[in-house]
Amino acid sequence: MADKDENLKVRVANLIDAITYAVFIYTSRGLFERDKLIFTSQVAFLVLLMKKEINPTELDFLLRFPARPNCKSPVDFLNDLSWGGIKALADMDEFRNLDRDIEGSAKRWKKFVESECPEKEKFPQEWKNKSALQKLCMMRAFRPDRMTYATRNFVEEKLGSKYVEGRTMEFAKSWEESGIGTPIFFILSPGVDPLKDVEALGKKMGFTWDSGKFHNVSLGQGQEIVAEKALDMASEQGHWVVLQNIHLVAKWLATLDKKLEKYSEGSHEDYRVYISAEPAPTVEAHNIPQGILEASIKITNEPPTGMYANLHKALDNFDQDTLEMCARENEFKSILFNLCYFHAVVGERRKFGPQGWNRPYPFNVGDLTISCNVLFNYLEANTK
C-alpha cells in the first residue's frame, strides 16, 4: 500500500516505490537464492538508468568487463586480467590516471586490495569520492571475488535495505493473493517442507483433514484419478486441494492444466489449489505446462543463506504465544534465542557438507521445534 500525500509529485513517487517493491517481491519469492541477487541488481540498474542517475558507459563496463588484452601487471597484488581492466577504465574521463595512481602509491593500494572486506573500506586518495557505480567498476577490476557483497551493498544504498535483507514472506500474505484461478506453486528444495505452512494456515481457517475440507494427494502410482475427484469436489464445495510432486506425472499434466482452467471461473469462492514440484535438473527436462506456471503464484522454499537470514528464519517459527507459554519466561526466551542462533549456525554450515560431522544432515525446522518443546518440558519440570 503506497503512502497517501496531498502533493501530486510525492504521491506519484510513493506509488512508483510501492509498485516497484510489489513486483520485486512477487518475482523474487519464486527465484532460488543463487538468482535473487542477479534479479535485484538488474532492478536497481534499470531504475537508476530510468532516473538518469548512472552512466550507461560505466554500467556497460561493469556488466561486460572489456579488459584490455596482453597487459602485464606492474604490481604484485593485481593479476594481468585485473590490470587489463584498470587500463580499460583509465581510458574513461572519470578514471583518468587510475593506473598511474596505483603504480605511484602501490603500498596504499596493496593494503586496500588485500584487505579482508575491501567493499567496506575507503578507497585511497581522491578515489573515495567517486560515485557508488564507479566504485563498483573499480572493485570489479580489483577484487571480483567480493562482487557479490559489493553489489548487495550497492543495491542497499540505492534502493534500500528491504531489497537485500533476504527475509522470507509469510505464507499467509502470499495466500491473500491466491484465488480460484490462481493456484500456489511450491518449488521444492531438500530439507524444506512447504506443506506445514499450508496445513497451519488451513487449521486456523477451518480447512482440515478432519473437517473433510482438506485434500492432500501425493501424485504417482495411479493417484491421478484421486486428484481429479478431489478437484471436482473442492471446486464445487469450496475445499483446499494439495497436489504434491506433479513432476512425477508428466503425461497427466495436460489434463491438470485443463482442470485448473475450467475451475478458474464459477467455482466456490473458498476453493484453492496448492501444487508442489521439484525443479527440473536441465532445460530439456521441463515438463510443467506453461498455463499452470503462468496462472500460479510461484514460491521457492529454500533454506536461507547467511547468518542474518538464517537467524530470522529460525525466529520466525515462533510466535508471541510460544514466547510466553513458559512459567519461567526470561530463562525460556534466552535459551530459545540461543537455540535459534545455534540452528542458524549449523544451517549455514550446510555449504561445507559433512565436514565436521559423521554424515550430512539438513537441520530442518522440525529439529528446532522439537528442541523448543524439550526446553519447555525441562524448565516446567525442574525447579532448579
Side-chain angles (χ1 to χ4, degrees):
M1 182 69 76
D3 294 334
K4 291 183 178 176
D5 200 285
E6 294 299 320
N7 187 318
L8 182 63
K9 281 189 177 179
V10 175
R11 173 66 176 151
V12 169
N14 291 345
L15 281 167
I16 290 171
D17 283 346
I19 292 165
T20 303
Y21 188 62
V23 171
F24 166 76
I25 287 293
Y26 187 87
T27 307
S28 63
R29 71 181 161 194
L31 296 175
F32 288 117
E33 289 293 328
R34 65 175 182 267
D35 302 320
K36 282 181 183 175
L37 184 60
I38 296 170
F39 170 66
T40 311
S41 51
Q42 283 180 323
V43 169
F45 294 142
L46 286 169
V47 166
L48 294 169
L49 278 172
M50 289 288 286
K51 290 182 175 178
K52 294 186 168 55
E53 287 184 20
I54 56 174
N55 183 336
T57 310
E58 292 168 2
L59 179 60
D60 183 66
F61 174 88
L62 180 70
L63 299 178
R64 292 195 307 115
F65 194 62
R68 196 185 289 178
N70 307 320
C71 283
K72 187 75 180 164
S73 175
V75 289
D76 61 351
F77 56 90
L78 292 171
N79 60 31
D80 294 348
L81 181 64
S82 292
W83 190 251
I86 287 158
K87 280 290 191 185
L89 268 179
D91 290 337
M92 297 185 214
D93 290 339
E94 289 291 336
F95 299 94
R96 199 172 297 279
N97 297 328
L98 174 62
D99 50 345
R100 288 182 191 173
D101 273 1
I102 292 168
E103 286 187 78
S105 308
K107 196 173 179 182
R108 198 182 296 177
W109 280 98
K110 180 183 171 79
K111 185 183 175 185
F112 170 80
V113 172
E114 292 185 348
S115 63
E116 191 176 346
C117 302
E119 71 280 358
K120 292 180 180 176
E121 303 290 337
K122 282 189 176 179
F123 278 76
Q125 299 153 307
E126 73 276 5
W127 300 99
K128 62 177 171 285
N129 301 321
K130 292 293 179 186
S131 72
L133 182 66
Q134 288 163 355
K135 288 175 183 175
L136 211 54
C137 288
M138 290 189 283
M139 190 65 71
R140 175 73 181 85
F142 294 134
R143 288 288 298 274
D145 61 306
R146 299 300 295 178
M147 281 304 289
T148 304
Y149 305 97
T151 306
R152 188 174 276 111
N153 292 346
F154 174 83
V155 173
E156 186 172 8
E157 182 185 331
K158 293 298 181 184
L159 296 185
S161 58
K162 63 183 179 181
Y163 284 87
V164 295
E165 57 193 12
R167 296 291 301 276
T168 49
M169 194 174 183
E170 273 184 65
F171 176 67
K173 288 185 179 175
S174 296
W175 180 86
E176 287 170 11
E177 296 174 32
S178 67
I180 59 173
T182 312
I184 290 181
F185 191 116
F186 294 104
I187 302 161
L188 298 171
S189 293
V192 181
D193 177 20
L195 190 59
K196 64 177 174 51
D197 292 328
V198 180
E199 287 177 337
L201 186 63
K203 197 174 179 181
K204 282 183 185 175
M205 300 178 69
F207 293 88
T208 60
W209 184 268
D210 295 335
S211 69
K213 292 184 175 183
F214 190 89
H215 308 274
N216 182 7
V217 185
S218 188
L219 287 157
Q221 298 183 337
Q223 291 295 298
E224 296 91 331
I225 296 168
V226 178
E228 286 180 36
K229 285 180 181 175
L231 287 167
D232 295 340
M233 187 195 297
S235 63
E236 193 177 315
Q237 299 179 20
H239 298 175
W240 286 10
V241 181
V242 179
L243 303 175
Q244 294 194 61
N245 301 316
I246 66 165
H247 60 283
L248 299 176
V249 285
K251 290 179 181 176
W252 179 71
L253 291 179
T255 307
L256 174 62
D257 192 8
K258 286 174 187 168
K259 282 267 182 196
L260 293 175
E261 189 179 354
K262 178 184 173 184
Y263 294 137
S264 65
E265 292 178 0
S267 295
H268 194 289
E269 61 179 12
D270 291 337
Y271 158 73
R272 293 289 185 278
V273 178
Y274 307 92
I275 301 166
S276 76
E278 288 181 4
T282 61
V283 176
E284 294 74 27
H286 280 293
N287 59 12
I288 313 293
Q290 194 171 342
I292 295 176
L293 291 171
E294 286 184 354
S296 305
I297 293 169
K298 288 160 287 294
I299 301 176
T300 53
N301 278 74
E302 262 186 312
T305 53
M307 270 300 294
Y308 182 83
N310 267 288
L311 184 54
H312 273 286
K313 180 88 172 177
L315 288 166
D316 283 343
N317 291 294
F318 306 106
D319 57 15
Q320 196 61 33
D321 293 340
T322 307
L323 296 177
E324 294 170 3
M325 71 182 184
C326 187
R328 300 166 73 179
E329 199 174 310
N330 286 343
E331 292 89 338
F332 182 73
K333 283 181 178 176
S334 300
I335 302 172
L336 181 60
F337 177 81
N338 276 282
L339 276 173
C340 288
Y341 193 88
F342 175 75
H343 183 81
V345 171
V346 292
E348 183 62 9
R349 279 194 87 268
R350 247 194 234 98
K351 61 191 172 194
F352 301 114
Q355 189 177 338
W357 311 96
N358 58 353
R359 59 186 287 271
Y361 189 76
F363 291 102
N364 56 32
V365 175
D367 298 312
L368 181 59
T369 49
I370 289 165
S371 300
C372 174
N373 294 336
V374 171
L375 167 64
F376 174 76
N377 292 339
Y378 268 124
L379 287 177
E380 289 286 311
N382 294 289
T383 51
K384 289 185 181 179

